[in-house]
Amino acid sequence: TKNILNIDWEKGLSSAIIDKILDITFHSIFLVAGIAMFLTFGNFPEFWIFGLAIASIFVLVIALTLFYSRAIGKKSIILLVLNLFGLEKTKVKSTKNGEFLFNTEGNVLRFFSPKKMFFWKGVVISFFRHLLFYTRAFLIVLFIVGVFSPLKSLAVHGLANLSMMLPLPAGLGGLEAVSSFGFKALEFGFENGTVFGMTWRSADLMICILGIIFGVKIAFKLFKLKTFNFIDKIKK
């Protein structure tokens, strides 16, 4: 964004943070809804697994509540962290990195203004993004199992979201294990759950390949810009 769109580091980082916060928000909403649907139709085999799921949801909800309460009230989160560690705002902000952090946070806090239309545009776009993720889960379940069940598909989608929170490198094996367990509990068939996980990852892989193609095109464009700049410096 800095080189192609001429957007400075502060605004570029701010947009990435805003996107991630909105993503986590609706990830959590669909996660809670999915787990609620799963508990309606199925059961966790072990109590500790149920406890882990509830604890994960609890941590997410508390973190998001803390963020939105301070963001909407335009209260600095960095300042809260500094106070916890006994650091002074003036000393941190006087440094180049400290000023950068506070300016970036200011951009993020200005976005989360319920009175502004751009905030609700971001919310709607993020919601539809996650609605598409749910639609993908629904279509995969419909294709594999041959059952039209929007609520059970929501439960499967919730479990898939839960698997993304497992501390595994790239989530390897987590999605397949959780979806297989969920399919079995929902009477969709254990083996179908494995197929669901593999199909889900295949769809993600196709999107990644598309991103790589655009990434390569942008990389060539940046390379040409760097080369021309280097030649201009030599000429001067």
Side-chain angles (χ1 to χ4, degrees):
T1 55
K2 181 178 182 297
N3 291 280
I4 301 297
L5 302 178
N6 198 27
I7 296 175
D8 61 38
W9 283 100
E10 288 179 4
K11 293 180 180 179
L13 180 59
S14 301
S15 64
I17 293 173
I18 291 168
D19 174 68
K20 188 55 63 178
I21 291 171
L22 290 174
D23 184 52
I24 293 174
T25 299
F26 286 99
H27 181 95
S28 302
I29 291 173
F30 277 87
L31 170 62
V32 172
I35 296 300
M37 286 299 101
F38 178 77
L39 293 175
T40 302
F41 297 104
N43 293 297
F44 288 94
E46 300 288 344
F47 181 77
W48 69 268
I49 300 179
F50 171 74
L52 181 63
I54 297 301
S56 300
I57 293 173
F58 180 77
V59 171
L60 276 175
V61 170
I62 291 297
L64 288 172
T65 301
L66 176 63
F67 170 79
Y68 278 100
S69 63
R70 295 192 68 87
I72 293 175
K74 296 297 179 285
K75 297 178 180 178
S76 174
I77 298 171
I78 295 177
L79 190 59
L80 175 63
V81 175
L82 293 179
N83 291 334
L84 290 176
F85 287 95
L87 300 174
E88 295 183 10
K89 176 184 176 181
T90 53
K91 290 184 178 180
V92 176
K93 196 171 183 178
S94 62
T95 64
K96 185 177 180 180
N97 290 333
E99 184 180 3
F100 173 81
L101 287 175
F102 276 101
N103 290 341
T104 300
E105 183 190 44
N107 292 330
V108 174
L109 294 181
R110 280 192 291 274
F111 176 84
F112 288 92
S113 303
K115 295 181 180 180
K116 303 294 184 181
M117 182 57 67
F118 53 75
F119 168 73
W120 293 109
K121 287 181 179 179
V123 168
V124 170
I125 291 172
S126 187
F127 168 74
F128 276 104
R129 177 190 179 191
H130 282 267
L131 185 62
L132 286 173
F133 289 155
Y134 160 70
T135 304
R136 175 177 64 171
F138 169 76
L139 292 175
I140 295 174
V141 170
L142 179 63
F143 177 77
I144 295 174
V145 186
V147 175
F148 182 88
S149 181
L151 295 182
K152 286 189 176 182
S153 297
L154 180 60
V156 171
H157 178 60
L159 291 175
N161 283 349
L162 181 63
S163 71
M164 303 302 174
M165 300 174 61
L166 296 175
L168 299 171
L172 293 176
L175 175 62
E176 289 78 9
V178 171
S179 59
S180 297
F181 143 73
F183 269 60
K184 182 179 179 181
L186 295 170
E187 299 180 349
F188 282 165
F190 182 87
E191 65 283 354
N192 288 332
T194 304
V195 176
F196 173 88
M198 295 173 65
T199 308
W200 182 287
R201 287 196 185 280
S202 299
D204 283 343
L205 181 60
M206 294 302 297
I207 296 174
C208 288
I209 292 174
L210 183 63
I212 290 172
I213 294 173
F214 282 106
V216 170
K217 291 181 65 176
I218 293 174
F220 275 117
K221 188 174 182 178
L222 289 174
F223 176 75
K224 288 192 291 185
L225 288 174
K226 293 290 184 181
T227 303
F228 291 144
N229 289 336
F230 179 72
I231 294 174
D232 289 340
K233 288 181 180 179
I234 293 176
K235 287 181 178 179
K236 290 180 181 179

